[in-house]
mmCIF file of all heavy atoms in Angstrom:
data_model
loop_
_atom_site.group_PDB
_atom_site.id
_atom_site.type_symbol
_atom_site.label_atom_id
_atom_site.label_comp_id
_atom_site.label_asym_id
_atom_site.label_seq_id
_atom_site.Cartn_x
_atom_site.Cartn_y
_atom_site.Cartn_z
ATOM 1 N N PRO T 552 -5.185 -54.215 45.989
ATOM 2 C CA PRO T 552 -5.962 -53.312 45.110
ATOM 3 C C PRO T 552 -5.914 -53.820 43.678
ATOM 4 O O PRO T 552 -4.858 -54.270 43.185
ATOM 5 C CB PRO T 552 -5.209 -51.966 45.243
ATOM 6 C CG PRO T 552 -3.863 -52.303 45.752
ATOM 7 C CD PRO T 552 -4.004 -53.551 46.593
ATOM 8 N N GLU T 553 -7.045 -53.761 42.981
ATOM 9 C CA GLU T 553 -7.113 -54.243 41.631
ATOM 10 C C GLU T 553 -6.452 -53.256 40.662
ATOM 11 O O GLU T 553 -5.943 -53.664 39.628
ATOM 12 C CB GLU T 553 -8.584 -54.505 41.242
ATOM 13 C CG GLU T 553 -9.196 -55.597 42.095
ATOM 14 C CD GLU T 553 -10.689 -55.716 41.884
ATOM 15 O OE1 GLU T 553 -11.201 -55.081 40.966
ATOM 16 O OE2 GLU T 553 -11.366 -56.458 42.653
ATOM 17 N N VAL T 554 -6.510 -52.004 40.989
ATOM 18 C CA VAL T 554 -5.836 -50.944 40.215
ATOM 19 C C VAL T 554 -5.095 -50.062 41.226
ATOM 20 O O VAL T 554 -5.473 -50.019 42.408
ATOM 21 C CB VAL T 554 -6.812 -50.109 39.379
ATOM 22 C CG1 VAL T 554 -7.472 -50.970 38.308
ATOM 23 C CG2 VAL T 554 -7.905 -49.501 40.267
ATOM 24 N N PRO T 555 -4.052 -49.354 40.834
ATOM 25 C CA PRO T 555 -3.287 -48.564 41.768
ATOM 26 C C PRO T 555 -4.112 -47.445 42.387
ATOM 27 O O PRO T 555 -4.769 -46.696 41.658
ATOM 28 C CB PRO T 555 -2.140 -47.972 40.913
ATOM 29 C CG PRO T 555 -2.139 -48.786 39.658
ATOM 30 C CD PRO T 555 -3.518 -49.291 39.464
ATOM 31 N N PRO T 556 -4.066 -47.300 43.692
ATOM 32 C CA PRO T 556 -4.803 -46.211 44.367
ATOM 33 C C PRO T 556 -4.369 -44.845 43.807
ATOM 34 O O PRO T 556 -5.207 -43.912 43.732
ATOM 35 C CB PRO T 556 -4.446 -46.363 45.839
ATOM 36 C CG PRO T 556 -4.084 -47.826 46.000
ATOM 37 C CD PRO T 556 -3.430 -48.185 44.679
ATOM 38 N N SER T 557 -3.101 -44.712 43.434
ATOM 39 C CA SER T 557 -2.588 -43.429 42.901
ATOM 40 C C SER T 557 -2.627 -43.390 41.372
ATOM 41 O O SER T 557 -2.054 -42.488 40.761
ATOM 42 C CB SER T 557 -1.146 -43.211 43.370
ATOM 43 O OG SER T 557 -1.079 -43.207 44.768
ATOM 44 N N GLY T 558 -3.265 -44.380 40.770
ATOM 45 C CA GLY T 558 -3.330 -44.410 39.313
ATOM 46 C C GLY T 558 -2.096 -45.049 38.703
ATOM 47 O O GLY T 558 -1.043 -45.146 39.330
ATOM 48 N N PHE T 559 -2.204 -45.484 37.458
ATOM 49 C CA PHE T 559 -1.063 -46.002 36.769
ATOM 50 C C PHE T 559 -0.134 -44.878 36.354
ATOM 51 O O PHE T 559 -0.574 -43.779 36.026
ATOM 52 C CB PHE T 559 -1.499 -46.760 35.494
ATOM 53 C CG PHE T 559 -2.101 -48.098 35.755
ATOM 54 C CD1 PHE T 559 -3.456 -48.302 35.661
ATOM 55 C CD2 PHE T 559 -1.295 -49.198 36.134
ATOM 56 C CE1 PHE T 559 -4.011 -49.533 35.916
ATOM 57 C CE2 PHE T 559 -1.876 -50.431 36.388
ATOM 58 C CZ PHE T 559 -3.217 -50.608 36.290
ATOM 59 N N LYS T 560 1.167 -45.158 36.342
ATOM 60 C CA LYS T 560 2.153 -44.154 35.955
ATOM 61 C C LYS T 560 2.183 -44.069 34.426
ATOM 62 O O LYS T 560 2.227 -45.101 33.743
ATOM 63 C CB LYS T 560 3.542 -44.547 36.491
ATOM 64 C CG LYS T 560 4.504 -43.375 36.577
ATOM 65 C CD LYS T 560 5.707 -43.715 37.429
ATOM 66 C CE LYS T 560 6.605 -42.526 37.638
ATOM 67 N NZ LYS T 560 7.144 -41.976 36.419
ATOM 68 N N ASP T 561 2.144 -42.882 33.931
ATOM 69 C CA ASP T 561 2.150 -42.696 32.482
ATOM 70 C C ASP T 561 3.548 -42.990 31.925
ATOM 71 O O ASP T 561 4.553 -42.851 32.598
ATOM 72 C CB ASP T 561 1.735 -41.273 32.115
ATOM 73 C CG ASP T 561 1.282 -41.166 30.662
ATOM 74 O OD1 ASP T 561 1.038 -42.218 30.033
ATOM 75 O OD2 ASP T 561 1.129 -40.038 30.166
ATOM 76 N N THR T 562 3.566 -43.454 30.675
ATOM 77 C CA THR T 562 4.846 -43.795 30.026
ATOM 78 C C THR T 562 5.038 -42.931 28.788
ATOM 79 O O THR T 562 4.083 -42.404 28.231
ATOM 80 C CB THR T 562 4.870 -45.270 29.622
ATOM 81 O OG1 THR T 562 3.735 -45.550 28.776
ATOM 82 C CG2 THR T 562 4.789 -46.168 30.841
ATOM 83 N N ALA T 563 6.294 -42.813 28.345
ATOM 84 C CA ALA T 563 6.614 -41.990 27.175
ATOM 85 C C ALA T 563 7.671 -42.679 26.347
ATOM 86 O O ALA T 563 8.409 -43.552 26.819
ATOM 87 C CB ALA T 563 7.069 -40.610 27.629
ATOM 88 N N ASN T 564 7.754 -42.317 25.065
ATOM 89 C CA ASN T 564 8.808 -42.753 24.144
ATOM 90 C C ASN T 564 8.816 -44.282 23.942
ATOM 91 O O ASN T 564 9.892 -44.875 23.772
ATOM 92 C CB ASN T 564 10.171 -42.293 24.657
ATOM 93 C CG ASN T 564 10.270 -40.781 24.774
ATOM 94 O OD1 ASN T 564 9.790 -40.067 23.907
ATOM 95 N ND2 ASN T 564 10.876 -40.326 25.848
ATOM 96 N N ILE T 565 7.635 -44.904 23.951
ATOM 97 C CA ILE T 565 7.590 -46.328 23.713
ATOM 98 C C ILE T 565 6.703 -46.678 22.513
ATOM 99 O O ILE T 565 6.568 -47.847 22.171
ATOM 100 C CB ILE T 565 7.107 -47.111 24.950
ATOM 101 C CG1 ILE T 565 5.738 -46.620 25.393
ATOM 102 C CG2 ILE T 565 8.120 -47.021 26.084
ATOM 103 C CD1 ILE T 565 5.142 -47.427 26.532
ATOM 104 N N TYR T 566 6.125 -45.643 21.885
ATOM 105 C CA TYR T 566 5.155 -45.854 20.801
ATOM 106 C C TYR T 566 5.483 -44.957 19.609
ATOM 107 O O TYR T 566 5.856 -43.819 19.787
ATOM 108 C CB TYR T 566 3.758 -45.562 21.305
ATOM 109 C CG TYR T 566 2.687 -45.596 20.227
ATOM 110 C CD1 TYR T 566 2.196 -46.800 19.747
ATOM 111 C CD2 TYR T 566 2.178 -44.395 19.679
ATOM 112 C CE1 TYR T 566 1.209 -46.825 18.752
ATOM 113 C CE2 TYR T 566 1.209 -44.410 18.667
ATOM 114 C CZ TYR T 566 0.735 -45.620 18.221
ATOM 115 O OH TYR T 566 -0.224 -45.667 17.248
ATOM 116 N N VAL T 567 5.377 -45.544 18.407
ATOM 117 C CA VAL T 567 5.596 -44.788 17.167
ATOM 118 C C VAL T 567 4.320 -44.876 16.333
ATOM 119 O O VAL T 567 3.852 -45.968 15.998
ATOM 120 C CB VAL T 567 6.781 -45.352 16.369
ATOM 121 C CG1 VAL T 567 6.977 -44.563 15.071
ATOM 122 C CG2 VAL T 567 8.028 -45.347 17.184
ATOM 123 N N PRO T 568 3.711 -43.690 15.996
ATOM 124 C CA PRO T 568 2.461 -43.709 15.253
ATOM 125 C C PRO T 568 2.721 -43.971 13.758
ATOM 126 O O PRO T 568 3.856 -43.853 13.273
ATOM 127 C CB PRO T 568 1.911 -42.319 15.461
ATOM 128 C CG PRO T 568 3.163 -41.478 15.602
ATOM 129 C CD PRO T 568 4.157 -42.326 16.319
ATOM 130 N N PRO T 569 1.686 -44.298 13.005
ATOM 131 C CA PRO T 569 1.820 -44.422 11.537
ATOM 132 C C PRO T 569 2.267 -43.072 10.955
ATOM 133 O O PRO T 569 2.001 -42.008 11.533
ATOM 134 C CB PRO T 569 0.411 -44.782 11.083
ATOM 135 C CG PRO T 569 -0.301 -45.318 12.275
ATOM 136 C CD PRO T 569 0.299 -44.606 13.452
ATOM 137 N N SER T 570 2.923 -43.150 9.816
ATOM 138 C CA SER T 570 3.433 -41.927 9.188
ATOM 139 C C SER T 570 2.297 -41.091 8.622
ATOM 140 O O SER T 570 1.299 -41.616 8.100
ATOM 141 C CB SER T 570 4.410 -42.277 8.076
ATOM 142 O OG SER T 570 4.802 -41.154 7.350
ATOM 143 N N GLU T 571 2.460 -39.761 8.713
ATOM 144 C CA GLU T 571 1.532 -38.831 8.062
ATOM 145 C C GLU T 571 1.768 -38.823 6.556
ATOM 146 O O GLU T 571 0.893 -38.387 5.784
ATOM 147 C CB GLU T 571 1.754 -37.435 8.647
ATOM 148 C CG GLU T 571 1.249 -37.279 10.083
ATOM 149 C CD GLU T 571 -0.262 -37.267 10.196
ATOM 150 O OE1 GLU T 571 -0.906 -36.330 9.663
ATOM 151 O OE2 GLU T 571 -0.808 -38.185 10.792
ATOM 152 N N ASP T 572 2.945 -39.228 6.118
ATOM 153 C CA ASP T 572 3.322 -39.249 4.700
ATOM 154 C C ASP T 572 3.886 -40.617 4.336
ATOM 155 O O ASP T 572 5.098 -40.787 4.194
ATOM 156 C CB ASP T 572 4.335 -38.136 4.428
ATOM 157 C CG ASP T 572 4.717 -38.070 2.928
ATOM 158 O OD1 ASP T 572 3.954 -38.651 2.109
ATOM 159 O OD2 ASP T 572 5.759 -37.451 2.620
ATOM 160 N N PRO T 573 3.015 -41.639 4.238
ATOM 161 C CA PRO T 573 3.519 -42.998 4.026
ATOM 162 C C PRO T 573 4.330 -43.194 2.761
ATOM 163 O O PRO T 573 5.208 -44.060 2.715
ATOM 164 C CB PRO T 573 2.238 -43.851 4.010
ATOM 165 C CG PRO T 573 1.129 -42.871 3.733
ATOM 166 C CD PRO T 573 1.555 -41.596 4.330
ATOM 167 N N ASN T 574 4.082 -42.380 1.740
ATOM 168 C CA ASN T 574 4.836 -42.510 0.495
ATOM 169 C C ASN T 574 6.324 -42.182 0.681
ATOM 170 O O ASN T 574 7.160 -42.584 -0.143
ATOM 171 C CB ASN T 574 4.250 -41.612 -0.592
ATOM 172 C CG ASN T 574 2.885 -42.104 -1.056
ATOM 173 O OD1 ASN T 574 2.607 -43.306 -1.018
ATOM 174 N ND2 ASN T 574 2.013 -41.196 -1.505
ATOM 175 N N SER T 575 6.636 -41.454 1.737
ATOM 176 C CA SER T 575 8.015 -41.073 1.976
ATOM 177 C C SER T 575 8.779 -42.187 2.715
ATOM 178 O O SER T 575 10.000 -42.081 2.868
ATOM 179 C CB SER T 575 8.086 -39.777 2.787
ATOM 180 O OG SER T 575 7.594 -39.979 4.121
ATOM 181 N N VAL T 576 8.068 -43.187 3.184
ATOM 182 C CA VAL T 576 8.694 -44.250 3.990
ATOM 183 C C VAL T 576 9.087 -45.397 3.048
ATOM 184 O O VAL T 576 8.274 -45.882 2.255
ATOM 185 C CB VAL T 576 7.738 -44.763 5.074
ATOM 186 C CG1 VAL T 576 8.422 -45.884 5.892
ATOM 187 C CG2 VAL T 576 7.294 -43.612 5.981
ATOM 188 N N THR T 577 10.318 -45.854 3.190
ATOM 189 C CA THR T 577 10.822 -46.965 2.384
ATOM 190 C C THR T 577 10.994 -48.195 3.258
ATOM 191 O O THR T 577 11.553 -48.110 4.350
ATOM 192 C CB THR T 577 12.164 -46.613 1.713
ATOM 193 O OG1 THR T 577 12.000 -45.446 0.885
ATOM 194 C CG2 THR T 577 12.687 -47.779 0.868
ATOM 195 N N VAL T 578 10.523 -49.336 2.780
ATOM 196 C CA VAL T 578 10.717 -50.603 3.463
ATOM 197 C C VAL T 578 11.704 -51.408 2.636
ATOM 198 O O VAL T 578 11.367 -51.910 1.548
ATOM 199 C CB VAL T 578 9.401 -51.367 3.642
ATOM 200 C CG1 VAL T 578 9.640 -52.677 4.385
ATOM 201 C CG2 VAL T 578 8.391 -50.502 4.378
ATOM 202 N N ASP T 579 12.919 -51.561 3.154
ATOM 203 C CA ASP T 579 13.947 -52.279 2.445
ATOM 204 C C ASP T 579 14.185 -53.654 3.055
ATOM 205 O O ASP T 579 14.199 -53.808 4.270
ATOM 206 C CB ASP T 579 15.274 -51.513 2.458
ATOM 207 C CG ASP T 579 15.239 -50.321 1.545
ATOM 208 O OD1 ASP T 579 14.575 -50.416 0.509
ATOM 209 O OD2 ASP T 579 15.880 -49.306 1.876
ATOM 210 N N ILE T 580 14.379 -54.648 2.193
ATOM 211 C CA ILE T 580 14.784 -55.984 2.625
ATOM 212 C C ILE T 580 16.036 -56.340 1.842
ATOM 213 O O ILE T 580 16.013 -56.520 0.636
ATOM 214 C CB ILE T 580 13.701 -57.034 2.404
ATOM 215 C CG1 ILE T 580 12.417 -56.671 3.160
ATOM 216 C CG2 ILE T 580 14.186 -58.419 2.852
ATOM 217 C CD1 ILE T 580 11.257 -57.599 2.888
#
Side-chain angles (χ1 to χ4, degrees):
E553 297 171 10
V554 294
S557 302
F559 286 105
K560 200 165 186 302
D561 199 13
T562 56
N564 301 319
I565 57 174
Y566 173 78
V567 179
S570 174
E571 290 287 296
D572 182 16
N574 290 331
S575 67
V576 180
T577 301
V578 181
D579 286 328
I580 300 175

